[in-house]
Amino acid sequence: MSLEREAVISGPFAREETSAAFKRRFMIRMIAVLTGGMLLDGYILGVIGPVTAVMKAEMGMSTIDMGLIASAALFGILIGSPLGGWAGDKFGRKPLFMIDMGLFVLASAMQFFIDSVEMLFAVRLLMGIAIGAEYSVGWPLMSEFAPARLRGRLMGVTILAWYGGFMIGYTVGYLLNLPEPMPWRIIIGTSTFISIILFFARIGLPESPRWLWSKGRKNEARTIARKYLESAEEMADMENAEVRQGRFADLFSVKYWRMTAFVSWFWFCNVLPYFAIATFADSVLEQYGLNGGLAGGVGLSMVAVAGVAVTVALIDKAGRRLFTVPPQWITTVVFLVIGLWSGRRRRSCWVSSWCSHS
């Protein structure tokens, strides 16, 4: 054992090696709060779908207003993700972890008191910023604490939780908006209760040892690693990691610009059409002559859940590339079919209308 390691173990940050059972309980808790955050993200974006018509009628919103409200959370994500990534790298995962959930609690509670279209837009924008920040801190924490043998599957589980949250939110919104509906402010404000539970569940969780190591705080990093990481191999992996302070501009350097472009475009192509369809599931499905309602709205997410479940089961065996590139081409073909189908239906409706007036 090196003199440095002996000094660490006997120094002010010394901790006894914890048991495997303790580390397993911690990992279960970490997975629960991180997947809970993703579930909350999906819930917030799903619960508003079934009440959009009621909101529009009560507040006299135009089509443009509805588009802005639906996209407010996406604009927020666009702001919150890079801001959260910067803050997480500069100040640590733990502060952002708590501040982000506090922002969820605040924004969710504000939904009970919305009295104008402008306030609704502002609140949904704020929630989008919180969602974006959650993406920036949740996935890094999961990857930095999770054992390498489970990392791919656990990252997939967080996506599964997102779609599950969307389904739960859509279902809650639909059921509470039945013939004698609950006020829509209360329906979308139900996310407050999930936010409060997760806020208290996160209290006391440690800072990421890998982040501490990257900042040169090696004594603290080793202490937390000894207490929480699964094995000595995980700790060795942390200690052998190459540490280099990067800049935001590095993402667009010759070395990384292709990767940055691919990942950014990949998420853009996944997120934009999904939200556009799922948020207005009822009206979209009706345009294609399909039933909307609960079955339609939840059905869309169930298909996504099935796809994620297959990916989680096979990703560590088949690799990442197989589940990244081919699905993009499949999605392209599907959207071409949808677009042509929609155009054909519109032409058919126009011809029928013209014939009936002739």
Side-chain angles (χ1 to χ4, degrees):
M1 180 181 293
S2 68
L3 293 177
E4 183 187 7
R5 180 65 61 81
E6 289 177 352
V8 169
I9 295 176
S10 61
F13 297 101
R15 292 283 180 88
E16 293 295 327
E17 183 79 27
T18 51
S19 67
F22 174 88
K23 294 178 179 180
R24 186 165 53 251
R25 289 194 300 271
F26 164 76
M27 198 63 219
I28 291 172
R29 180 186 175 191
M30 178 64 73
I31 293 170
V33 296
L34 290 177
T35 56
M38 295 298 287
L39 184 144
L40 175 62
D41 295 347
Y43 184 95
I44 288 168
L45 295 169
V47 74
I48 197 171
V51 300
T52 51
V54 178
M55 289 166 46
K56 181 179 181 180
E58 182 180 320
M59 304 186 74
M61 290 191 286
S62 65
T63 303
I64 294 177
D65 291 334
M66 288 298 299
L68 286 173
I69 297 305
S71 61
L74 298 182
F75 285 130
I77 292 172
L78 190 63
I79 297 169
S81 292
L83 185 63
W86 169 81
D89 284 341
K90 185 173 181 63
F91 303 110
R93 317 306 192 209
K94 185 176 180 178
L96 182 63
F97 200 48
M98 297 304 301
I99 292 171
D100 176 52
M101 193 51 61
L103 186 58
F104 271 119
V105 174
L106 175 64
S108 294
M110 288 173 66
Q111 293 180 121
F112 292 117
F113 308 102
I114 291 171
D115 59 3
S116 67
V117 175
E118 292 77 15
M119 184 177 179
L120 178 59
F121 177 83
V123 169
R124 298 297 295 184
L125 180 69
L126 190 62
M127 299 192 83
I129 292 173
I131 291 172
E134 181 69 20
Y135 293 162
S136 299
V137 71
W139 282 323
L141 265 177
M142 181 69 82
S143 65
E144 289 164 359
F145 273 105
R149 61 187 176 81
L150 298 176
R151 201 165 292 153
R153 277 173 283 178
L154 289 178
M155 296 291 281
V157 166
T158 61
I159 304 297
L160 195 65
W162 190 97
Y163 284 111
F166 192 97
M167 283 197 301
I168 294 171
Y170 195 95
T171 302
V172 169
Y174 184 86
L175 294 177
L176 296 181
N177 195 42
L178 287 174
E180 293 185 2
M182 186 178 291
W184 61 266
R185 293 172 182 82
I186 294 179
I187 293 176
I188 64 175
T190 52
S191 60
T192 307
F193 306 109
I194 304 175
S195 304
I196 291 173
I197 292 171
L198 287 173
F199 180 83
F200 284 104
R202 292 184 173 192
I203 294 175
L205 289 174
E207 180 58 88
S208 164
R210 295 178 187 271
W211 179 83
L212 291 168
W213 187 268
S214 73
K215 297 300 179 180
R217 295 161 61 177
K218 296 184 178 182
N219 286 359
E220 295 172 76
R222 286 196 181 104
T223 298
I224 293 176
R226 285 172 57 82
K227 185 173 182 180
Y228 295 107
L229 294 188
E230 181 184 65
S231 63
E233 287 77 14
E234 295 292 330
M235 186 167 176
D237 181 62
M238 177 192 75
E239 294 180 337
N240 293 328
E242 179 184 354
V243 178
R244 184 177 68 86
Q245 296 302 320
R247 301 171 303 151
F248 184 77
D250 290 342
L251 294 173
F252 306 97
S253 65
V254 174
K255 184 177 181 180
Y256 295 113
W257 75 267
R258 289 185 62 191
M259 187 181 301
T260 300
F262 172 79
V263 172
S264 300
W265 189 246
F266 170 83
W267 279 108
F268 179 86
C269 291
N270 275 274
V271 170
L272 185 64
Y274 184 84
F275 285 132
I277 293 172
T279 301
F280 302 101
D282 279 345
S283 58
V284 170
L285 291 172
E286 287 174 3
Q287 290 180 21
Y288 291 93
L290 302 172
N291 292 326
L294 182 61
V298 173
L300 289 176
S301 291
M302 287 184 67
V303 173
V305 166
V308 176
V310 171
T311 302
V312 169
L314 299 177
I315 191 168
D316 284 335
K317 297 179 180 178
R320 278 51 165 169
R321 183 179 176 83
L322 179 65
F323 292 103
T324 303
V325 179
Q328 293 299 303
W329 290 108
I330 295 172
T331 302
T332 300
V333 173
V334 170
F335 278 124
L336 284 173
V337 172
I338 290 174
L340 293 173
W341 185 6
S342 176
R344 183 177 179 182
R345 282 186 59 82
R346 282 197 296 270
R347 287 193 298 272
S348 176
C349 291
W350 182 85
V351 170
S352 298
S353 176
W354 183 82
C355 290
S356 64
H357 286 85
S358 298

